[in-house]
């Protein structure tokens, strides 16, 4: 990994720092996955129909897989996937106040994710893995007593949107 700290937070710079990895593109009809890391071939493949936020989110996710190395199958692979999802969401959405502001004015999760320049899955992951202090902040920020558009549940899950 590069010694340049900005390479850690910018997915395309992070990929460039992984000089042994080649970026490929695949079509949805070839594979439904947004991104695929092939350790043996030294490739990351992104689905060609992703929008900019989707490419950014998926690329960082796949770069983290490369950096962490291959995982064993079964339960360990599932745990590794959760770790990567959590880390990617925290890297792309480090400022919980920015997340709170986007959720406060947005009418949908899609709209909030777009404002934050991530895909909806990454925003959901960030909300699923909140620190208790972040959960407290979001509950306070989003409970204005009149128009709480998002309900953050006990586990950090996002409830239904209401206008």
């Amino acid at each position: 990994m590069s010694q340049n700290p900005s390479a850690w937070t910018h997915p395309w710079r992070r990929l460039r720092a992984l000089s042994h990895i080649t970026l490929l593109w695949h079509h949805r009809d070839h594979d439904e996955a947004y991104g695929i890391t092939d350790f043996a071939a030294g490739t990351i493949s992104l689905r060609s129909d992703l929008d900019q936020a989707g490419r950014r989110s998926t690329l960082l996710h796949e770069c983290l897989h490369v950096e962490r190395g291959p995982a064993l199958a079964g339960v360990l692979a599932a745990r590794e996937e959760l770790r990567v999802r959590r880390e990617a969401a925290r890297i792309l959405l480090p400022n919980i106040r920015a997340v709170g502001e986007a959720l406060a004015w947005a009418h949908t999760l899609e709209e909030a994710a777009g404002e934050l320049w991530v895909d909806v899955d990454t925003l959901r992951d960030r909300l699923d893995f909140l620190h208790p202090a972040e959960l407290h902040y979001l509950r306070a920020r989003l409970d204005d007593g009149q128009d709480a558009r998002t309900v953050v549940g006990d586990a950090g899950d996002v409830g239904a949107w209401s206008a």
Side-chain angles (χ1 to χ4, degrees):
M1 188 74 244
S2 168
Q3 296 301 316
N4 179 357
S6 67
W8 287 90
T9 58
H10 192 290
W12 296 100
R13 289 184 190 144
R14 201 166 185 132
L15 175 63
R16 187 172 54 220
L18 299 170
S19 59
H20 64 290
I21 297 294
T22 301
L23 179 63
L24 305 173
W25 300 91
H26 66 272
H27 293 281
R28 172 181 247 167
D29 56 351
H30 173 70
D31 196 309
E32 285 285 319
Y34 292 160
I36 305 164
T37 298
D38 185 334
F39 291 98
T43 62
I44 290 174
S45 182
L46 299 181
R47 213 168 76 190
S48 58
D49 64 339
L50 295 175
D51 62 12
Q52 187 171 11
R55 289 189 305 266
R56 180 174 181 262
S57 300
T58 304
L59 181 61
L60 177 65
H61 179 100
E62 298 306 323
C63 284
L64 290 172
H65 276 302
V66 170
E67 292 168 10
R68 294 177 63 86
L72 299 174
V75 174
L76 294 178
R79 285 184 187 168
E80 179 65 11
E81 183 64 19
L82 284 176
R83 284 186 189 111
V84 168
R85 287 173 45 199
R86 180 180 182 173
E87 186 176 352
R90 285 194 171 278
I91 289 170
L92 290 171
L93 299 169
N95 184 341
I96 200 63
R97 293 183 187 281
V99 172
E101 290 307 306
L103 291 172
W105 71 262
H107 295 283
T108 64
L109 275 182
E110 290 79 9
E111 188 176 13
E115 176 66 17
L116 294 164
W117 205 25
V118 296
D119 61 15
V120 173
D121 291 337
T122 300
L123 177 55
R124 281 191 181 119
D125 286 342
R126 184 65 173 95
L127 296 171
D128 285 344
F129 298 112
L130 290 171
H131 181 276
E134 293 172 329
L135 179 58
H136 177 76
Y137 169 78
L138 284 181
R139 282 190 175 144
R141 173 62 185 95
L142 300 173
D143 183 20
D144 63 10
Q146 298 173 345
D147 186 22
R149 293 188 179 141
T150 302
V151 177
V152 180
D154 290 335
D157 56 315
V158 177
W161 291 81
S162 61

